[in-house]
Structures are given as structure tokens and as C-alpha cells.
Amino acid sequence: MTLAFEIKRRARHVVGPVIGCLLLGYFVFHSVEGDRGIHAWRALDSKIEVAEAKLAVLKGKREALEKKVAMLHPDSIDQDLLTEQARRVLNYLDQDDFVISGMSATGAPKSIGAMQQTIDAAQQFPKVRAISTASGAN
């Protein structure tokens, strides 16, 4: 028995399991890291959650718009909504309306002293209606 014959004999018993382990390692690696692996699956799940959240927000906005459109239908028009839309679009105020400015976008007054003076002036004229605007659109 020579050394070469002994190596060939032992190699026959080792080559099969080594190739099997390499194939198993290949498939395990790609099942975790591949394009359709576990990591890609988790990333896709997170994208789906984000898309579902956006869908819920858009559905809410759509329902609100559908409700406004239903209120503007000629058969059942809401007079308050019509007046509000007309004032916003046409930049219209009645003769007895006045605008209280100095409000921030959150609705908090910028200067409490100036707001108190405006409120005191409004209380002197009880027939006057006040419109508070944050954006100054009216």
C-alpha cells in the first residue's frame, strides 16, 4: 500500500460529505441573505407596514373629502360650509366682521397683551362677530 492509494481511498469517503456540507451551507446562506431570504422578508414586511399606515391616512382624507362633497351636493347643501368656502376663496368679510390677527399656526396668541386689548375692544361692540384666523386668509 502506497501513500497515494491510501489518500485516494480516504478521499472517496470524505469528498461526498464535504460536497454535501458545501451545498447545505450555500442554501442556508442564501435562505438568510439572498434576494428572497429572511432579511429581505423582514424588510418587505416593514415596507408593507409603512404603506398600510399611509393608506389609512389617505383613506381618512378621502372620507373627509367625500363628506365635504356630499355636504356641497345641491340637494343637501350645508349653508355653513358654503359660507366658509366662499369667504376663504373670495377673501370676503361682512361689514360687521373683524379679523383678530396675532395668532400662530397652533392657535396660541403671539402677544397676550395685544390679544387682550382686541378682546376688550370686541366686548364694547356686542353686535360685531369675530373671525380668528391663523393664516390670515380672510
Side-chain angles (χ1 to χ4, degrees), residues 100-115 133-135:
I100 300 176
S101 61
M103 300 289 282
S104 67
T106 60
K110 292 180 182 177
S111 170
I112 295 177
M115 290 300 295
T133 60
S135 63

Side-chain angles (χ1 to χ4, degrees), residues 4-27:
F5 178 72
E6 187 69 27
I7 290 174
K8 285 182 185 178
R9 187 175 69 86
R10 289 186 184 197
R12 286 184 201 154
H13 297 291
V14 174
V15 170
V18 167
I19 291 175
C21 286
L22 289 174
L23 283 173
L24 180 67
Y26 174 82
F27 287 116

Side-chain angles (χ1 to χ4, degrees), residues 106-125:
T106 60
K110 292 180 182 177
S111 170
I112 295 177
M115 290 300 295
Q116 187 61 41
Q117 290 175 355
T118 307
I119 292 170
D120 291 341
Q123 289 174 349
Q124 292 175 358
F125 305 103

Side-chain angles (χ1 to χ4, degrees), residues 4-98:
F5 178 72
E6 187 69 27
I7 290 174
K8 285 182 185 178
R9 187 175 69 86
R10 289 186 184 197
R12 286 184 201 154
H13 297 291
V14 174
V15 170
V18 167
I19 291 175
C21 286
L22 289 174
L23 283 173
L24 180 67
Y26 174 82
F27 287 116
V28 167
F29 174 78
H30 285 286
S31 68
V32 173
E33 295 290 334
D35 291 341
R36 301 186 198 311
I38 293 173
H39 292 303
W41 184 29
R42 288 183 181 169
L44 189 59
D45 280 342
S46 66
K47 286 181 182 179
I48 288 172
E49 288 177 4
V50 169
E52 286 176 347
K54 287 181 182 179
L55 178 64
V57 169
L58 290 175
K59 279 185 178 180
K61 287 182 181 179
R62 181 179 180 188
E63 289 174 2
L65 287 174
E66 285 177 351
K67 185 177 179 181
K68 275 190 169 183
V69 167
M71 286 192 290
L72 289 174
H73 194 269
D75 296 337
S76 63
I77 195 160
D78 184 21
Q79 294 296 324
D80 291 335
L81 182 63
L82 180 64
T83 305
E84 176 186 341
Q85 292 290 340
R87 287 179 181 218
R88 184 179 305 134
V89 171
L90 300 174
N91 198 18
Y92 173 76
L93 292 175
D94 283 336
Q95 291 178 355
D96 57 347
D97 288 348
F98 66 92

